[in-house]
Amino acid sequence: MSIESRVLHDFANQQHLLGITDHTLNAIVNNKPGYSVEKAQKFIHFHNRIKSELLHHPIITNNNFTKWFSLGEMSETQLRSFVIQFSVFSNLFLVAQLLKTINANGLESMRSSKEILVNELGVVYKNDKQTTDCDSLVSSDGSIEGGIYHFRAAHFEWLLQLATSVGLEFNDVGKRRHGNKSTLFFCDELNRLYANEDYTISQASSFAVENWAAAGFWKELINGLTLYQKKYNKGIPLFFFTRHDDIEAQHAKHTLDELEDSYFESEIDEDLFISSGNEILDAVAVFWTGLDDLRKTVLQ
Ligand SMILES: [Fe+2]
């Protein structure tokens, strides 16, 4: 630990500010406008509220569909119906992400939205670690600035590879017409909340969605697909799922820091943040419950 970070650590200890990032502590010590010990204590209180009133949402703590899926006991028909609904969500998410970009409340947040949108479409994040051709399609860290476009790096193409391996064709997946009621409800709620013009609502939705995505459901899906492959001795490209699992780990690291930054830079309506976050998680729950109902009704 450097002398500077030891001084900040001691300061955080004395002022009961453990958990606050070093750059915020630095700003408090240097009397940056908007930054104070009181505000930091308020943020810690807000973060505790988020943990207890938002992050314990049942869809984060208990997802019956992914729990079942992780056992790998699905039939091919059940797997196909899952892939179709997931492809609709994945493709329509592009619409929500574009709307979010348009509705950004500043250049910085517009650029953050574009990072996600354009990466979804196939621009690979550029970073210092890329050394080979193979790496150029799979980077999960860095920026789209100066990145290279590859059709094959579009997330939809990864999912299409998986879809074709289980007998689906291009026109069987990804369109609104393929979505069932609960999938479409979720996609429409993403447009309404995640891409909302009110920055608190869109920020709360992003925060909730990122925490949902980082809570382990990608790993459960990967486990299920891996077991399914072994059971039927079948090769299924898992790239779409393994890549997202890697990307989420990166995103999750940043979300709390971003929230902390905007808490100090602007005023956040805490109640609106908590209620909007819960609203989008309710919609996430509708999506997964819809998948759970579907797998019980499709042929085994
Ligand atoms: Fe994606």
Side-chain angles (χ1 to χ4, degrees):
M1 199 186 269
S2 68
I3 294 174
E4 196 188 338
S5 46
R6 201 174 303 137
V7 169
L8 287 177
H9 186 78
D10 289 347
F11 174 74
N13 246 330
Q14 286 158 10
Q15 303 291 339
H16 307 289
L17 300 181
L18 288 180
I20 295 287
T21 57
D22 277 8
H23 71 269
T24 297
L25 291 171
N26 233 324
I28 296 169
V29 171
N30 291 308
N31 294 317
K32 189 175 170 190
Y35 286 76
S36 65
V37 169
E38 294 69 35
K39 190 136 191 193
Q41 283 165 347
K42 269 181 75 187
F43 179 73
I44 290 170
H45 180 257
F46 179 41
H47 185 210
N48 287 334
R49 269 193 77 188
I50 289 173
K51 282 190 271 191
S52 63
E53 295 174 41
L54 181 60
L55 300 181
H56 281 128
H57 191 287
I59 202 55
I60 291 185
T61 56
N62 185 32
N63 183 331
N64 285 331
F65 178 82
T66 52
K67 215 186 280 171
W68 166 79
F69 193 95
S70 71
L71 303 174
E73 288 169 0
M74 58 284 209
S75 67
E76 188 168 63
T77 320
Q78 286 171 320
L79 180 55
R80 271 193 215 128
S81 62
F82 159 73
V83 171
I84 292 169
Q85 295 310 310
F86 212 89
S87 72
V88 173
F89 151 60
S90 180
N91 234 1
L92 294 192
F93 176 73
L94 292 170
V95 179
Q97 193 62 43
L98 177 59
L99 270 176
K100 188 178 173 66
T101 305
I102 292 167
N103 287 336
N105 76 334
L107 189 56
E108 200 59 38
S109 60
M110 176 176 261
R111 287 183 176 182
S112 302
S113 281
K114 282 182 182 166
E115 291 277 2
I116 296 173
L117 175 66
V118 180
N119 177 254
E120 280 286 332
L121 288 169
V123 176
V124 179
Y125 292 132
K126 188 178 160 74
N127 63 35
D128 304 335
K129 287 171 262 164
Q130 285 168 21
T131 49
T132 66
D133 264 6
C134 179
D135 282 345
S136 68
L137 281 180
V138 300
S139 178
S140 55
D141 197 6
S143 170
I144 56 165
E145 174 81 10
I148 295 175
Y149 182 79
H150 298 272
F151 287 121
R152 285 183 302 119
H155 298 194
F156 182 75
E157 293 209 14
W158 299 342
L159 190 54
L160 187 61
Q161 281 184 28
L162 188 149
T164 49
S165 79
V166 296
L168 294 164
E169 293 180 3
F170 183 87
N171 281 313
D172 294 328
V173 293
K175 313 281 194 289
R176 193 173 172 94
R177 68 171 183 273
H178 301 127
N180 64 20
K181 223 174 134 193
S182 46
T183 300
L184 296 181
F185 174 78
F186 175 41
C187 295
D188 293 341
E189 285 292 85
L190 282 169
N191 291 348
R192 185 176 74 84
L193 297 162
Y194 178 80
N196 201 287
E197 281 186 52
D198 182 319
Y199 189 60
T200 301
I201 297 175
S202 73
Q203 194 188 19
S205 306
S206 298
F207 184 87
V209 163
E210 289 296 351
N211 277 280
W212 154 57
F217 84 81
W218 291 109
K219 284 190 175 57
E220 288 180 301
L221 297 178
I222 293 164
N223 285 345
L225 288 165
T226 308
L227 289 169
Y228 180 91
Q229 287 193 109
K230 275 193 197 139
K231 192 169 159 190
Y232 294 102
N233 198 18
K234 221 176 148 159
I236 295 181
L238 300 185
F239 210 59
F240 176 84
F241 294 95
T242 52
R243 268 304 86 196
H244 279 96
D245 191 35
D246 290 347
I247 293 170
E248 292 316 333
Q250 294 293 334
H251 285 180
K253 264 199 250 165
H254 301 307
T255 48
L256 189 61
D257 289 358
E258 281 167 16
L259 179 63
E260 186 183 293
D261 286 346
S262 65
Y263 191 87
F264 285 86
E265 301 288 345
S266 60
E267 283 300 316
I268 288 186
D269 180 337
E270 297 186 14
D271 291 336
L272 181 62
F273 188 97
I274 302 266
S275 64
S276 304
N278 275 300
E279 264 189 284
I280 196 70
L281 292 180
D282 289 346
V284 170
V286 168
F287 172 64
W288 287 115
T289 307
L291 282 169
D292 207 37
D293 293 342
L294 184 63
R295 63 108 175 163
K296 288 173 188 161
T297 56
V298 296
L299 291 171
Q300 295 294 303

